[in-house]
């Protein structure tokens, strides 16, 4: 499999340090509110990568953190008159609910920043002792950016560009606390009313960037195979992670880097002021979670993706086509009488086209196209196909859609006796050409939540 490595700006063969075992770290949310639709993209993209690597027979150790200490969390708690921990636990639960709704697999480890303060302090101590960090007069601890000659290698910017273009992303402390304006906080001195922990530099709390360095090192080791997240994290978050991790550990932090592109709303950047800010929960309440997952797979993960109501409805319709095809396969299997085996070859072709797409930097649009080409073959050949071949087609269909995390809402609901009796009664009415009675029974079936379609193999029931 080849992936685009942000560090080298080129596609590379994705080979783990330990054969058959991928150690992956994906930045998780700051849990101060419901996650928005933009947050869902990296969740789904890198979950799909994990699923594909596992599908290929690999073991994936997948770590995605919870940032449960942050200025936004502290502000939210103050506004609500509650504790930072209460806010964090409440919205962590809501995040997990949305994550499960999107069929994102639970990480191997889901570490919380507040449970790793000891590991964070150890890294900060190592940085201070080695001269890569220093203690300011107010108790803040800053990373000395100019002590790292490789700083800027991920974002491919020189230090002068970083200083002029990203001042607003640096510590809010006055610059005269720092030796250099580019230096960033790895430990923040306590402020009145804020959560704080004891440290060698007095009471305080971790800086944002240091959290991921500590959690990645504890759960995946000093050098990991892949670090991933949204494009907005390249600088300063991931750049700073690299600097502090490599200076503390004395080795490469991550061998590969992947970043997904931005998500726009109606061709505009999402913002509350533009009144185009949507949470995952809001969209899921209206359209369901699965169309959101499908939508995120319709474009290459590195490309910008534009959300519109028309597109999410189109995704819902595409999913309906997949569900209809799979239901029709079940019906064909239960009524099979053909002998044709041509569909078996189409299974192999679909799998090959799917894997070729996924091996090319997680090309999910082409992978979806391979599945829909397979759907056309199923629709064309299933009536004449042998039962064993139909079962093979169903297994292949489930295999490929499962890698993309789709088709997880299939309803295997057995029709009740009343419904089955009405279907038989309708069939008898049609034989006697009692069309009014047949139409009345169809209407009654609809009331009961079932649709009936007349096929060459007999009536086919579907749950509405």
């Amino acid at each position: 499999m080849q992936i685009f490595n942000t560090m080298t700006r080129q596609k590379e063969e994705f080979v783990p340090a330990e054969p058959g075992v991928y150690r992956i770290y994906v930045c998780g949310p700051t849990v101060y509110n419901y996650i928005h639709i933009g947050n869902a993209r990296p969740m789904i993209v890198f979950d799909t990568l994990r699923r594909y690597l596992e599908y290929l027979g690999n073991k994936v150790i997948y770590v995605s953190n919870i940032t449960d200490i942050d200025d936004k969390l502290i502000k939210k708690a103050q506004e609500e008159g509650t504790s930072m921990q209460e806010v964090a636990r409440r919205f962590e639960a809501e995040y997990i609910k949305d994550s499960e709704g999107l069929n994102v697999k639970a990480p191997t480890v889901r570490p919380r920043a507040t449970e790793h303060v000891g590991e964070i302090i150890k890294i900060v101590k190592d940085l201070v002792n080695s001269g890569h960090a220093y203690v300011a007069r107010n108790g803040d601890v800053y990373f000395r950016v100019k002590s790292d000659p490789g700083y800027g290698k991920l974002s491919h910017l020189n230090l002068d560009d970083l200083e002029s273009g990203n001042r607003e992303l640096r510590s809010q402390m006055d610059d005269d606390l720092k030796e250099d304006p580019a230096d960033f906080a790895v430990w923040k001195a306590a402020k009145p009313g804020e959560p704080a922990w004891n440290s060698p530099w007095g009471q305080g709390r971790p800086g944002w960037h240091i959290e991921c360095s500590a959690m990645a090192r504890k759960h995946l080791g000093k050098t990991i195979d892949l670090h991933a997240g949204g494009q907005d994290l390249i600088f300063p978050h991931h750049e700073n992670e690299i600097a502090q991790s490599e200076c503390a550990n004395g080795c490469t932090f991550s061998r590969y880097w992947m970043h997904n592109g931005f998500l726009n709303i109606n061709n505009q950047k999402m913002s509350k002021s533009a009144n185009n800010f949507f949470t995952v929960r809001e969209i899921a309440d209206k359209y369901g979670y699965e169309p959101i997952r499908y939508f995120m797979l319709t474009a290459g993960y590195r490309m910008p993706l534009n959300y519109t109501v028309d597109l999410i409805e189109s995704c819902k319709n595409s999913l309906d086509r997949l569900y209809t095809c799979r239901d029709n396969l079940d019906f064909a299997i239960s009524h099979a009488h053909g002998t044709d085996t041509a569909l078996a070859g189409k299974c192999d072709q679909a799998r090959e086209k799917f894997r070729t797409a996924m091996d090319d930097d997680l090309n999910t649009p082409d992978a979806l196209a391979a599945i829909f080409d397979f759907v056309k073959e199923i629709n064309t050949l299933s009536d004449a196909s042998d039962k064993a071949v139909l079962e093979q087609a169903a297994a292949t269909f489930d295999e490929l859609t499962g890698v993309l995390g789709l088709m997880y809402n299939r309803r295997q609901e057995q029709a009740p006796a009343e419904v089955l009796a009405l279907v038989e009664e309708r069939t008898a009415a049609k034989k006697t050409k009692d069309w009014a009675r047949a139409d009345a029974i169809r209407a009654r079936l609809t009331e009961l939540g079932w649709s009936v379609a007349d096929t060459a193999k007999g009536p086919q029931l579907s749950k509405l």
Side-chain angles (χ1 to χ4, degrees):
M1 181 185 190
Q2 291 213 327
I3 60 169
F4 184 88
N5 186 354
T6 308
M7 181 70 75
T8 60
R9 289 185 171 178
Q10 63 185 14
K11 287 184 184 179
E12 299 177 3
E13 193 74 20
F14 187 24
V15 181
E18 179 184 350
V21 181
Y22 287 85
R23 291 174 170 82
I24 298 176
Y25 189 96
V26 178
C27 285
T30 301
V31 284
Y32 71 100
N33 211 328
Y34 293 96
I35 59 170
H36 58 71
I37 186 68
N39 299 137
R41 193 174 193 191
M43 291 166 58
I44 293 165
V45 163
F46 300 115
D47 174 71
T48 303
L49 173 67
R50 173 192 184 175
R51 287 172 178 271
Y52 185 60
L53 292 172
E54 290 175 340
Y55 167 71
L56 296 177
N58 301 289
K59 178 181 179 182
V60 179
I61 306 171
Y62 192 94
V63 178
S64 186
N65 69 295
I66 296 288
T67 294
D68 58 350
I69 177 166
D70 180 85
D71 291 338
K72 294 174 181 176
L73 274 159
I74 294 169
K75 181 181 178 183
K76 184 86 168 181
Q78 291 171 343
E79 289 172 353
E80 294 184 353
T82 185
S83 69
M84 183 189 73
Q85 183 181 45
E86 196 282 328
V87 171
R89 295 297 168 268
R90 173 158 44 100
F91 285 111
E92 179 183 331
E94 298 295 350
Y95 157 66
I96 292 172
K97 180 178 178 180
D98 284 336
S99 185
E100 291 173 346
L102 294 167
N103 201 27
V104 171
K105 295 179 69 173
T108 312
V109 185
R110 185 182 277 132
R112 296 171 175 144
T114 55
E115 295 172 352
H116 294 73
V117 174
E119 288 86 354
I120 291 168
I121 288 174
K122 187 177 186 311
I123 292 180
V124 176
K125 284 174 69 176
D126 289 344
L127 291 171
V128 171
N129 292 340
S130 63
H132 289 293
Y134 57 92
V135 184
R137 65 176 183 275
N138 69 336
D140 286 352
V141 183
Y142 291 100
F143 182 84
R144 187 177 275 119
V145 166
K146 287 185 177 175
S147 74
D148 178 16
Y151 190 82
K153 61 186 176 183
L154 181 69
S155 50
H156 302 281
L157 296 170
N158 62 49
L159 198 54
D160 290 338
D161 291 336
L162 296 176
E163 287 178 6
S164 63
N166 295 280
R167 287 186 182 278
E168 74 279 3
L169 295 174
R170 296 197 205 102
S171 169
Q172 298 302 304
M173 294 296 175
D174 294 334
D175 279 351
D176 63 358
L177 288 171
K178 297 186 283 187
E179 294 177 356
D180 188 280
D183 295 346
F184 59 88
V186 290
W187 186 262
K188 296 182 178 182
K191 294 179 181 178
E194 290 188 354
W197 287 261
N198 291 323
S199 81
W201 318 284
Q203 287 258 308
R205 60 184 174 92
W208 173 37
H209 314 296
I210 200 72
E211 298 173 6
C212 291
S213 289
M215 290 184 277
R217 186 167 84 170
K218 177 175 181 180
H219 298 289
L220 294 172
K222 291 183 177 179
T223 299
I224 67 178
D225 291 306
L226 172 68
H227 199 312
Q231 185 179 331
D232 56 311
L233 297 181
I234 294 175
F235 184 85
H237 186 48
H238 288 168
E239 195 71 71
N240 291 352
E241 275 189 67
I242 292 170
Q244 64 204 10
S245 293
E246 295 189 351
C247 289
N249 300 335
C251 57
T252 298
F253 176 40
S254 182
R255 300 171 64 244
Y256 300 89
W257 291 84
M258 291 176 75
H259 294 90
N260 62 272
F262 290 114
L263 180 79
N264 294 320
I265 308 292
N266 295 318
N267 292 310
Q268 290 185 316
K269 184 178 179 180
M270 183 168 55
S271 70
K272 290 182 179 177
S273 60
N275 200 29
N276 67 349
F277 183 92
F278 298 107
T279 65
V280 167
R281 189 69 54 85
E282 288 171 327
I283 296 173
D285 284 346
K286 188 168 184 180
Y287 299 102
Y289 282 103
E290 194 171 8
I292 299 173
R293 184 176 184 104
Y294 186 99
F295 168 70
M296 297 297 177
L297 303 175
T298 58
Y301 75 92
R302 290 190 288 124
M303 300 298 104
L305 185 57
N306 185 50
Y307 173 88
T308 68
V309 169
D310 287 345
L311 281 175
I312 203 74
E313 289 180 342
S314 174
C315 291
K316 196 171 186 303
N317 292 336
S318 295
L319 280 167
D320 287 344
R321 285 180 58 201
L322 293 178
Y323 276 95
T324 298
C325 176
R326 189 60 182 82
D327 289 343
N328 289 344
L329 260 178
D330 279 346
F331 182 77
I333 291 168
S334 64
H335 294 77
H337 59 263
T339 58
D340 189 79
T341 59
L343 191 54
K346 303 301 181 184
C347 294
D348 295 336
Q349 290 175 18
R351 188 180 290 109
E352 183 179 352
K353 287 163 66 176
F354 180 88
R355 288 188 57 165
T356 297
M358 295 293 279
D359 282 341
D360 182 17
D361 196 25
L362 204 69
N363 188 338
T364 53
D366 281 4
L368 283 170
I371 290 173
F372 275 101
D373 286 345
F374 187 42
V375 166
K376 292 175 186 175
E377 301 291 359
I378 292 170
N379 292 340
T380 301
L381 299 172
S382 60
D383 280 352
S385 291
D386 171 80
K387 182 176 182 179
V389 171
L390 288 168
E391 290 172 341
Q392 180 185 348
T396 303
F397 184 96
D398 293 344
E399 172 189 323
L400 302 185
T401 55
V403 173
L404 299 183
L406 300 173
M407 303 295 292
Y408 57 95
N409 287 312
R410 286 195 70 213
R411 293 169 290 190
Q412 303 291 340
E413 188 171 344
Q414 185 65 38
E418 178 188 1
V419 170
L420 295 175
L422 284 169
V423 171
E424 288 186 15
E425 185 180 342
R426 179 175 175 273
T427 300
K430 290 186 67 181
K431 283 182 179 178
T432 61
K433 297 186 178 181
D434 186 351
W435 309 120
R437 179 61 184 152
D439 289 344
I441 293 172
R442 181 192 287 275
R444 175 59 182 152
L445 287 168
T446 301
E447 290 175 5
L448 294 172
W450 294 84
S451 68
V452 60
D454 296 312
T455 76
K457 296 178 180 179
Q460 180 178 352
L461 269 174
S462 300
K463 190 77 173 72
L464 294 172

